[in-house]
């Protein structure tokens, strides 16, 4: 075995001896605090309704919420599946159209100055205000909900990607100029790679907003018959004053958002881990 390899092996063994409980230290540093806070929150939530004799239809206990989720699991799981489908389609549309639009806007200042203000105007219009028009155009159900989800998740993608495309390193830009790179060579080999971290940030924001958009869309354009998502289930539960199930739907939406965010973050880490400082710092 070469001498350098032996030295590296000895250094690795020494580092492991110096850090015998690295896994526990990491767990302690990052996870113990949130877990303890969560347990305290649940305990307080369980005790408060008992102490003040608050009825379940006003403030259900965590055990009531859990029981409601088990009792109406068939309704809850079907609603979650519908919302996942609508959110994923809305998010994919936001990602594809948002990134494509950003590349188009960044390719020409004239196009950017002409169209970008309308993207801002589109974002500033409350979706609830235009939702009835969307329902008239696309009908109640999946199509309208996906459009509403897309509208809410679209702007973070386009604004972040455009910012990334415009934040190219000056020296690299001059290097491409020296080598007389064409506009599209500069775009594909320099600007888009430089914009990837910004793009991923926009996608992380958009993925959670797409779930919010899908649930808002279900409030307005949701339909029953097993095709209603979490928004429709929440509306029905509120009408029937099934507050524990209402809480269960809200928690399912929150868990769905967290899972969606973690999934996109994992993709971002996979794309950026080998070369970008932000992801490399996370690994270290």
């Amino acid at each position: 075995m070469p001498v350098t390899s032996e030295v590296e092996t000895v250094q690795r063994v020494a580092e492991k001896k110096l850090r015998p409980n690295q896994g526990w230290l990491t767990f302690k540093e990052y996870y113990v605090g949130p877990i303890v806070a969560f347990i305290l929150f649940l305990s307080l939530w369980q005790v408060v309704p008992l102490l003040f004799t608050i009825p379940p239809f006003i403030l259900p206990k965590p055990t009531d919420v859990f029981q409601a989720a088990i009792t109406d699991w068939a309704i809850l799981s079907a609603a979650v599946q519908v919302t996942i489908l609508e959110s994923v389609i809305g998010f994919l549309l936001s990602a594809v159209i948002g990134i494509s639009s950003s590349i188009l806007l960044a390719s020409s200042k004239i196009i950017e100055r002409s169209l970008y203000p309308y993207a801002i105007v589109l974002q500033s219009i409350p979706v609830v205000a235009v939702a009835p028009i969307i329902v008239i155009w696309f009908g109640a159900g999946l199509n309208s909900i996906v459009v509403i989800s897309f509208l809410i998740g679209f702007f973070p993608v386009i604004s972040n990607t455009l910012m990334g495309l415009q934040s190219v390193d000056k020296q690299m830009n001059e290097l491409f100029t020296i080598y007389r790179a064409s506009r599209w060579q500069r775009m594909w080999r320099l600007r888009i790679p430089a914009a990837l971290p910004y793009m991923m940030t926009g996608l992380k924001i958009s993925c959670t907003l797409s779930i919010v958009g899908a649930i808002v869309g279900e409030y307005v354009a949701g339909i029953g018959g097993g095709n209603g998502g979490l928004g429709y289930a929440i509306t029905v539960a509120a009408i029937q004053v099934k507050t524990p199930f209402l809480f269960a739907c809200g928690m399912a939406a929150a868990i769905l958002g967290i899972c969606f965010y973690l999934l996109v973050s994992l993709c971002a880490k996979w794309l950026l881990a080998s070369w970008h400082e932000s992801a490399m710092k996370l690994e270290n």
Side-chain angles (χ1 to χ4, degrees):
M1 181 182 291
V3 177
T4 52
S5 299
E6 289 182 1
V7 172
E8 287 174 359
T9 306
V10 171
Q11 285 177 343
R12 286 196 198 101
V13 172
E15 286 175 0
K16 283 182 181 178
K17 286 182 179 177
L18 288 173
R19 298 181 298 175
N21 296 317
Q22 187 62 34
W24 163 247
L25 290 175
T26 304
F27 179 80
K28 186 179 174 183
E29 186 176 357
Y30 291 100
Y31 301 108
V32 169
I35 290 171
V36 170
F38 183 67
I39 292 171
L40 287 175
F41 171 73
L42 283 182
S43 304
L44 188 65
W45 183 8
Q46 181 72 24
V47 168
V48 166
L50 292 173
L51 284 178
F52 297 97
T53 59
I54 301 173
F57 69 89
I58 300 291
L59 180 61
K61 302 185 291 297
T63 50
D64 296 331
V65 176
F66 183 72
Q67 183 61 43
I70 296 295
T71 304
D72 292 323
W73 176 249
I75 299 172
L76 184 61
S77 59
V80 167
Q81 288 174 27
V82 172
T83 301
I84 288 174
L85 176 67
E86 295 159 351
S87 305
V88 168
I89 298 174
F91 170 67
L92 290 177
L93 286 175
S94 302
V96 173
I97 297 176
I99 292 171
S100 304
S101 303
S102 303
I103 293 172
L104 179 67
L105 295 177
S107 63
S108 167
K109 278 290 177 189
I110 295 174
I111 296 175
E112 182 187 343
R113 288 169 188 158
S114 303
L115 298 181
Y116 192 60
Y118 294 104
I120 298 172
V121 170
L122 187 67
Q123 175 64 21
S124 63
I125 298 173
V127 173
V128 177
V130 297
I133 299 172
I134 294 171
V135 175
I136 291 171
W137 286 350
F138 296 95
L142 179 68
N143 293 340
S144 294
I145 296 168
V146 166
V147 170
I148 293 170
S149 176
F150 158 73
L151 286 177
I152 291 183
F154 169 71
F155 190 73
V157 178
I158 193 171
S159 61
N160 280 279
T161 306
L162 190 59
M163 185 187 297
L165 291 170
Q166 293 171 340
S167 304
V168 176
D169 183 74
K170 189 179 177 183
Q171 291 181 347
M172 291 297 292
N173 201 24
E174 289 173 351
L175 184 65
F176 272 67
T177 304
I178 291 171
Y179 283 99
R180 297 181 180 179
S182 67
R183 178 182 296 183
W184 285 108
Q185 283 177 325
R186 195 186 299 265
M187 177 64 77
W188 289 111
R189 294 177 184 274
L190 177 64
R191 301 182 74 179
I192 290 178
L196 269 179
Y198 296 87
M199 208 181 289
M200 290 298 118
T201 303
L203 292 177
K204 286 179 191 175
I205 299 170
S206 177
C207 71
T208 52
L209 288 179
S210 66
I211 293 172
V212 174
I215 292 175
V216 170
E218 288 161 359
Y219 278 123
V220 181
I223 55 175
N227 295 318
L230 283 172
Y232 183 80
I234 289 170
T235 305
V236 174
I239 292 170
Q240 297 175 347
V241 200
K242 294 171 66 176
T243 312
F245 186 64
L246 203 61
F247 273 69
C249 291
M251 287 182 181
I255 293 170
L256 192 59
I258 292 168
C259 292
F260 211 177
Y261 179 84
L262 291 176
L263 190 62
V264 175
S265 297
L266 196 64
C267 293
K269 188 178 176 183
W270 177 72
L271 274 174
L272 304 175
S274 61
W275 63 277
H276 196 262
E277 289 181 359
S278 60
M280 291 169 75
K281 283 177 184 174
L282 285 175
E283 281 200 333
N284 295 331

